[in-house]
Amino acid sequence: MQPRRPLLALAAALAVAGCSSTVEGTASPSPTEPSGGSSSSSAPSSSAEPTGGGDDLTAGLLPQDAFGAGAVVTPISQSDLEAGAAVGTDLDGATITPESCAQAVAESQPSVTDLTGVAAQAATSGTTVTAQLLTTGTPGDPVAELAAAATACPQATITSPDIGTATITLAALQVPALGDGSAGLAYTTTVSAPDGSQIAVPALYAVVADGDRLLSMISTSIGGTVDQAAFTALVQQAFEYQAQQLD
């Protein structure tokens, strides 16, 4: 089966991350000094080399200082991406409603290795984590799929022995008109534990197509809020930076 954009799978993965309060790849980073925007002085380390085994996209990732003073930026490896996809799609024993959302989850088959190029990084600042992903060879029409996501599945409920009950509420997010198409999504994952307690994880997600390249960005806050204006401005900055560095 051809891989599709794992929108609900990604939300499920964030719910798990919110419950554990752990973000893979951000623990005990090596200290680096922010610089004035040079792609070499504050670029991700060599472990962020293209995971798809093809196009080298690392030069297109934003420098550390773009994420603000004090942000800790670390590369995301292929194993990190595959682990996140596995968390989002391994829903054996889960009940997903409504049926339209269950179908979307069932058909989500993310495959990092099928892409021709992948580079990714995560920036942590306080309770906020922002991930940037550049890919080539992404199948389907990610912009159109994301634009239609909130209409196709405005709310889903996932009940699982592992995470209890999670409710995912989705709404369209206005993002700048960029490149060959752009779309955004705002969603909140609310997890209800067996003891009745709840944790809500808000997230913003945007994709921008630039020829064969796709920029994907997501920002979430564990125990906090996400700033839509700041996020959409960062998406525009990330698009312009990758275009300048890679074209």
Side-chain angles (χ1 to χ4, degrees), residues 59-101:
L61 296 175
L62 284 169
Q64 178 173 334
D65 58 349
F67 296 97
V72 177
V73 180
T74 54
I76 300 175
S77 68
Q78 178 176 353
S79 60
D80 291 333
L81 291 170
E82 291 175 345
V87 168
T89 55
D90 186 11
L91 295 173
D92 291 342
T95 300
I96 304 168
T97 55
E99 180 59 32
S100 58
C101 296

Side-chain angles (χ1 to χ4, degrees), residues 119-231:
Q121 62 182 355
T124 304
S125 180
T127 64
T128 301
V129 179
T130 302
Q132 179 188 10
L133 180 69
L134 287 172
T135 61
T136 51
T138 308
D141 188 344
V143 173
E145 290 170 17
L146 186 61
T151 300
C153 182
Q155 186 175 80
T157 300
I158 301 176
T159 303
S160 163
D162 295 328
I163 65 172
T165 300
T167 300
I168 306 169
T169 304
L170 302 92
L173 172 68
Q174 294 299 315
V175 297
L178 298 168
D180 297 310
S182 56
L185 187 71
Y187 61 91
T188 300
T189 303
T190 304
V191 179
S192 300
D195 64 2
S197 62
Q198 290 189 329
I199 182 170
V201 182
L204 304 174
Y205 184 30
V207 295
V208 184
D210 186 11
D212 187 45
R213 287 194 304 272
L214 183 74
L215 166 68
S216 302
M217 295 196 71
I218 184 166
S219 183
T220 185
S221 180
I222 301 169
T225 59
V226 284
D227 186 329
Q228 292 193 8
F231 175 74

Side-chain angles (χ1 to χ4, degrees), residues 93-120:
T95 300
I96 304 168
T97 55
E99 180 59 32
S100 58
C101 296
Q103 182 73 13
V105 173
E107 292 179 352
S108 293
Q109 299 289 332
S111 177
V112 174
T113 56
D114 286 344
L115 302 173
T116 57
V118 182

Side-chain angles (χ1 to χ4, degrees), residues 4-36:
R4 296 182 58 177
R5 297 297 296 174
L7 298 177
L8 295 180
L10 179 58
L14 280 177
V16 173
C19 290
S20 63
S21 297
T22 301
V23 180
E24 292 293 335
T26 60
S28 303
S30 300
T32 56
E33 287 191 11
S35 67

